[in-house]
């Protein structure tokens, strides 16, 4: 709805207001007249007409109305599977315009196109919520002031935007893969949306290795989504998951993509992450995982993408190859990186290493620190259980 409305208004704020107004009208009209057969078409029609009426009242775009207005009795067609992705893709590329700072591009796209709440966007980008809210406001104002067009860029303009678009899709999947808050570990509507966008982008850019690499990475994560919790919704670690229930067709599809990209030249960050995920997925059991190869891939990933989160994940591989003490030294160095100050997986990883070293009192403190940083019920229950497991028997 938002993407279709922005195509008319060329104004993100106006489109958001029109979409919200359409929902208000639906609550009133549907309660009186019943729910229409084509809810999406009804809402989209109302949103676009509301936006056009607002444009008339403002009269600031009067000269453009002849091109934008549709006859009042024209009904919007039912959105189909081809048109909807095109609209979303246009809006993604609008938000990922190089005139904006990359952090603003990512944040704005997650919020507007992907529907991720502002607090969750802030957590995904490891910044405070007020900072994120201000960043979003500035980005929308800049789009309006700079008259950034609502179009998919031409082929020559794609390279400078693709990496940000891939980052957005990856973060969208991550926001659904482990929800920042709520009762459920996974938000299927976000993971499904991200996977659809990744497939669409891979089709749009068949020669782009990183588009294929990202798709492969998401396919592997998606293949094991049903095994990440037990029947009661409790979080299961990778070694506890039922590998026989993983979707082998998705894993095989991802493996073909990884092999193809690795054979075409030096891999990028998403392809390397996909290769790491593939090694986990292909291992018959947790003990059979090729940790030395995974560590080698993390070394290369950290070289081309020096992210503190990558360094944290690499430390886990170090612990499996060189032991928990070697990894603990790397974790303690990461504790001085302010970018991970509110990142719950840093104290959780440290707690696991301390527990493996027999330092259970320290491990319990670290688990409590991680517990204080998550609002997800499944993670909270898991961490409470881990705290209990480090307590001495009475």
């Amino acid at each position: 709805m938002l993407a279709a409305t922005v195509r008319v208004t060329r104004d993100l704020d106006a489109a958001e207001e029109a979409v919200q107004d359409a929902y208000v009208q639906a609550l009133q009209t549907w309660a009186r007249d019943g729910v229409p057969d084509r809810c999406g078409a009804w809402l989209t029609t109302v949103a676009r007409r509301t936006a056009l009426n607002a444009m008339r009242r403002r009269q600031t775009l009067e000269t453009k109305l002849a091109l934008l207005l549709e006859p009042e009795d024209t009904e919007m067609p039912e959105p189909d599977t081809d048109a909807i992705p095109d609209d979303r893709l246009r809006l993604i590329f609008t938000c990922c315009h190089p005139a904006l700072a990359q952090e603003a591009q990512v944040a704005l796209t997650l919020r507007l196109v992907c529907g991720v709440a502002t607090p969750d966007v802030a957590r995904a980008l490891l910044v405070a919520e007020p900072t994120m809210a201000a960043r979003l406001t500035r980005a929308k104002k800049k789009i309006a002031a700079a008259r950034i067009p609502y179009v998919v860029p031409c082929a020559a303009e794609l390279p400078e935007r693709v990496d940000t678009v891939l980052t957005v899709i990856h973060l969208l999947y991550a926001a659904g893969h482990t929800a920042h808050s709520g009762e459920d570990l996974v938000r299927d509507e976000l993971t499904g949306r991200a996977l659809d966008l990744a497939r669409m982008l891979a089709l749009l850019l068949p020669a782009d290795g990183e588009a294929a690499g990202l798709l492969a990475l998401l396919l592997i994560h998606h293949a094991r989504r049903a095994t990440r919790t037990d029947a009661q919704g409790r979080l299961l670690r990778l070694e506890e998951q039922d590998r026989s229930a993983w979707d082998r067709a998705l894993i095989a599809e991802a493996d073909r993509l990884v092999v193809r990209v690795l054979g075409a030249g030096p891999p990028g960050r998403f392809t390397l992450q996909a290769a790491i995920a593939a090694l986990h997925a292909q291992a018959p059991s947790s003990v059979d995982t090729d940790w030395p190869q995974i560590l080698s891939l993390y070394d290369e990933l950290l070289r081309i993408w020096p992210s503190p989160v990558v360094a944290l994940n690499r430390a886990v591989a170090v612990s499996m190859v060189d032991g928990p003490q070697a990894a603990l030294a790397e974790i303690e160095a990461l504790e001085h990186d302010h970018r991970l100050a509110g990142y719950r997986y840093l104290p959780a990883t440290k707690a696991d290493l301390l527990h493996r070293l027999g330092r259970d009192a320290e491990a319990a403190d670290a688990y409590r620190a991680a517990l204080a940083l998550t609002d997800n019920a499944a993670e909270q229950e898991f961490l409470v259980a881990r705290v209990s497991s480090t307590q001495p028997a009475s």
Side-chain angles (χ1 to χ4, degrees):
M1 286 175 58
L2 179 65
T5 307
V6 170
R7 183 139 50 97
V8 170
T9 65
R10 308 300 203 268
D11 183 317
L12 290 169
D13 281 330
E16 281 190 294
E17 290 176 7
V19 167
Q20 291 167 12
D21 187 70
Y23 278 111
V24 172
Q25 291 188 50
L27 288 171
Q28 297 168 346
T29 304
W30 296 0
R32 182 185 67 242
D33 302 335
V35 178
D37 292 334
R38 299 183 300 161
C39 301
W42 191 100
L43 287 163
T44 303
T45 299
V46 171
R48 293 183 68 178
R49 287 181 176 172
T50 298
L52 288 170
N53 288 335
M55 290 167 66
R56 286 195 193 97
R57 288 192 298 269
R58 289 197 308 268
Q59 296 183 344
T60 57
L61 297 179
E62 186 174 349
T63 58
K64 298 181 181 179
L65 286 179
L67 298 175
L68 297 175
L69 280 176
E70 296 173 329
E72 284 297 318
D73 59 351
T74 299
E75 291 296 325
M76 290 293 295
E78 181 74 15
D80 57 51
T81 54
D82 293 326
I84 293 295
D86 286 346
D87 273 340
R88 289 176 181 167
L89 191 59
R90 289 187 184 96
L91 189 50
I92 287 174
F93 276 109
T94 297
C95 294
C96 293
H97 194 282
L100 302 173
Q102 187 175 43
E103 296 83 357
Q105 295 174 34
V106 172
L108 193 63
T109 311
L110 284 171
R111 179 69 194 94
L112 292 182
V113 186
C114 305
V116 180
T118 300
D120 290 341
V121 175
R123 293 189 187 99
L125 297 177
L126 305 179
V127 300
E129 184 179 343
T131 300
M132 180 53 60
R135 186 177 293 175
L136 290 168
T137 299
R138 288 195 302 270
K140 287 192 288 185
K141 287 181 178 178
K142 185 161 187 177
I143 284 179
R147 298 183 179 274
I148 293 174
Y150 174 64
V151 294
V152 176
C154 66
E157 296 173 318
L158 281 175
E160 63 183 348
R161 304 197 199 186
V162 168
D163 185 67
T164 304
V165 173
L166 293 171
T167 299
V168 166
I169 297 173
H170 184 223
L171 287 173
L172 173 62
Y173 193 94
H177 184 68
T178 303
H180 294 293
S181 59
E183 296 297 317
D184 299 323
L185 182 68
V186 178
R187 291 184 60 187
D188 287 327
E189 76 279 10
L190 295 185
T191 58
R193 192 177 306 161
L195 188 56
D196 286 345
L197 289 169
R199 284 192 181 280
M200 180 174 59
L201 201 60
L203 288 172
L204 177 70
L205 305 170
D208 192 296
E210 279 293 81
L214 175 64
L215 177 58
L217 176 62
L218 301 194
L219 287 170
I220 294 171
H221 286 322
H222 220 60
R224 63 182 187 87
R225 68 191 185 283
T227 67
R228 296 182 61 233
T229 56
D230 63 15
Q232 288 72 45
R234 289 190 291 263
L235 186 153
L236 297 175
R237 291 176 296 176
L238 187 61
E239 59 265 28
E240 300 169 329
Q241 295 173 20
D242 180 5
R243 293 176 182 239
S244 68
W246 291 356
D247 190 327
R248 291 296 161 183
L250 291 182
I251 293 172
E253 181 184 356
D255 186 59
R256 290 191 295 271
L257 289 168
V258 171
V259 170
R260 188 192 85 198
V261 177
L262 289 177
R269 58 190 175 112
F270 292 114
T271 301
L272 286 170
Q273 290 177 80
I276 291 167
L279 286 173
H280 282 294
Q282 292 162 359
S285 67
S286 178
V287 296
D288 295 317
T289 303
D290 188 349
W291 284 107
Q293 179 64 17
I294 287 175
L295 179 56
S296 177
L297 288 169
Y298 268 122
D299 287 340
E300 177 62 14
L301 179 60
L302 191 60
R303 184 186 70 80
I304 68 170
W305 188 31
S307 155
V309 174
V310 172
L312 176 60
N313 292 334
R314 180 186 174 278
V316 175
V318 168
S319 76
M320 303 305 292
V321 175
D322 299 325
Q325 187 61 55
L328 186 60
E330 300 197 12
I331 293 294
E332 290 172 344
L334 285 171
E335 288 180 315
H336 299 291
D337 191 322
H338 69 278
R339 292 172 293 178
L340 295 181
Y343 194 59
R344 60 195 183 277
Y345 300 122
L346 178 60
T349 302
K350 181 178 183 180
D352 180 69
L353 296 175
L354 290 167
H355 180 55
R356 288 166 58 186
L357 289 167
R359 296 161 60 177
D360 282 348
E362 295 171 83
D365 288 339
Y367 279 128
R368 292 188 189 98
L371 180 60
L373 294 174
T374 181
D375 294 320
N376 181 277
E379 287 191 326
Q380 289 172 340
E381 184 178 1
F382 173 81
L383 291 168
V384 167
R386 299 301 294 169
V387 171
S388 297
S389 72
T390 59
Q391 302 301 317
S394 57

